[in-house]
Structures are given as C-alpha cells and as structure tokens.
Amino acid sequence: MGLLDKVERGIEKAVRGVFSTGSKAQVEPVEIASRLRREVDHKALTVAAGRTLVPNVFDVQLSEDDFGRAQEWGTPLAEELCDVVINHVRSQGYILQGPVRISFRRETGLRAGDFEIASSTEKSQGTGDAQPQPYARPNVPAAPSRQPVRLQPVLDIDGQRYSLNAPSIVLGRSSEADIHIEDTGVSRRHLEIRTANGITSAVDLGSTNGSYVNGQKVSGSTELTDGSTITMGRTKIIFRLLPANQGGHA
C-alpha cells in the first residue's frame, strides 16, 4: 500500500494543473489507478498452485471531455498507471503474459467523470487500431510467481533457538552431544533429530526415560511438523519451521 500510495500521489501531482480547471465532474487519475487494481484482481485466474494469471492490456474508455484531457496527460501518466499495475501484480504474486499496456479510448456514450476499463491478456503488444492511444511499459518482464520460502527447521529450548543445519543432530546430557541438555532425566545420548528430503524426524536413541512427541512416546522414528512438542525428562522442546534467515545458532 505504501508504494502504491506514493505512485498515486505522484500521478495526482503530475496532472494537478489539468484537473484543477473545468468541470468538477471529471475523471481523477487516482480513480483510474484504483480501478485498474480492482480490474486485475477481478480478472485473476488461478491455473495451478502458485500460478495466477492476470490481464496485461487495459483499455480505459473515457467521455469526450476526459478523452481530450487524456491527450494532454500523454505518456507520463500512462507510464505511471502501468507502474501501478506492475507493482500490484508483483505485490500479489500474479503472473503477466506480456508487457503492461494502457490505452485511452473515446467513448461517446459516457458522461464526463464516468469511465470504464476493459482488459485482456496478450503475449505481444500487437498493432491495434489507430484511434486508441496506447502506452506500454517496454521491456518489463512478466512478474515472476512468488517463490516458495525456504524453511529452516529449528528447535526452541529454554528460550534459545537452535538451527538444524546438519542431517543428524544428537541431543543429550553428554558434553559431546550436538545440543547439550542439562537435565538429570535426560540420557547422555537421548534423542536424534534427522532431516532428509525436507522431512525432519525424531529418533529415540534407547534413552532410559523415553522421548515423547506431542505426548506420544517415540517408538522408532516420529515425523515432526511445525509446532511439534518434544519432551525429554523435564525438558520441553518446540520444533519450528521458519524462513531460513530467522534461524538461530546450532
């Protein structure tokens, strides 16, 4: 919202002179910007997980008077409106099939202050007819789909966070354990945390008092999910999956 608000304020400032005269019933550039975002959302089409296609060609239909003003706005306003669309597409993780293009078209059936927006998806700009005034953001790549965030498995133990950066991490009372647990109810080599192929599991190492995940005794291997609670002796450990840059020390 912050960036788009700044863009809209820039549009308003850029054309203040044009919009400060004449009838009050006239199209404001911020209205066009807002309607363009709504048009993108309304026409969004999810074709697969993480892939939502949206239009990239927009035809802004204006009354006779407002179309005349559009000719005065010229390329700078159209480029700002293209940026409004591009920024909204990126913020929502949408996908474009081609460059964003804005056209202003005269529509005699509209009253001053009213306007309509028609949108479509085109892989290339095409030639179009001579009447609309098209403006495009050239060389703007299609917005990439939002990349999945890489999750880092971590353990929260007594207010400290440990990143599980190795495929095997041993917890226990021994000073040689990868994570030392100062608890008389914990065996020297009590529990192993294994991570392979994106799956993290808890494996009891034959401890005296056993290991528990979410209250269930670990027998063999138990898969961990975000928020799983591991109990060893009197020690409670929370397993978390966090964005990689938020992990702690190991």
Side-chain angles (χ1 to χ4, degrees):
M1 284 295 292
L3 176 59
L4 295 179
D5 288 342
K6 290 180 181 178
V7 171
E8 290 175 354
R9 285 197 296 270
I11 296 173
E12 190 170 22
K13 182 178 179 181
V15 297
R16 185 173 298 162
V18 176
F19 283 92
S20 62
T21 60
S23 171
K24 293 183 179 179
Q26 55 194 21
V27 175
E28 296 288 348
V30 292
E31 293 178 300
I32 299 176
S34 179
R35 186 84 65 85
L36 283 168
R37 290 200 302 267
R38 293 202 301 271
E39 179 71 13
V40 168
D41 291 336
H42 180 69
K43 293 293 184 64
L45 176 63
T46 300
V47 295
R51 290 181 59 82
T52 301
L53 301 180
V54 294
N56 62 300
V57 177
F58 301 88
D59 188 25
V60 182
Q61 300 167 10
L62 301 164
S63 68
E64 185 77 25
D65 290 342
D66 288 321
F67 180 75
R69 295 188 186 94
Q71 292 179 307
E72 296 181 48
W73 303 340
T75 302
L77 175 62
E79 289 180 343
E80 291 288 351
L81 291 173
C82 284
D83 284 343
V84 167
V85 173
I86 292 168
N87 287 326
H88 185 63
V89 165
R90 288 174 175 167
S91 71
Q92 300 301 313
Y94 295 147
I95 297 173
L96 294 169
Q97 289 292 295
V100 173
R101 178 157 57 92
I102 302 287
S103 297
F104 299 121
R105 183 188 297 272
R106 181 190 294 108
E107 179 57 57
T108 56
L110 290 174
R111 296 179 303 174
D114 293 337
F115 69 98
E116 299 292 340
I117 293 180
S119 62
S120 61
T121 300
E122 294 182 10
K123 291 187 178 181
S124 61
Q125 293 185 16
T127 56
D129 56 32
Q131 182 180 357
Q133 297 191 12
Y135 301 93
R137 261 302 185 214
N139 303 321
V140 177
S145 59
R146 187 172 294 160
Q147 297 297 317
V149 176
R150 186 171 69 86
L151 297 178
Q152 171 68 48
V154 302
L155 297 178
D156 281 336
I157 308 174
D158 294 332
Q160 292 189 321
R161 181 167 292 169
Y162 299 82
S163 293
L164 303 178
N165 294 319
S168 173
I169 299 290
V170 173
L171 291 76
R173 193 159 43 88
S174 171
S175 60
E176 297 180 358
D178 297 308
I179 299 179
H180 176 69
I181 306 294
E182 190 62 46
D183 183 338
T184 56
V186 171
S187 299
R188 292 177 59 81
R189 287 173 54 86
H190 194 110
L191 184 74
E192 181 183 11
I193 304 295
R194 296 177 184 172
T195 302
N197 300 320
I199 298 175
T200 303
S201 303
V203 180
D204 187 81
L205 298 176
S207 64
T208 301
N209 296 321
S211 305
Y212 298 82
V213 174
N214 297 329
Q216 300 296 315
K217 189 171 184 177
V218 175
S219 178
S221 176
T222 299
E223 183 177 342
L224 301 174
T225 58
D226 186 36
S228 291
T229 300
I230 304 168
T231 304
M232 304 165 49
R234 297 182 302 275
T235 302
K236 287 189 176 182
I237 302 168
I238 306 299
F239 175 78
R240 298 289 189 191
L241 290 173
L242 301 175
N245 62 351
Q246 294 185 18
H249 59 279

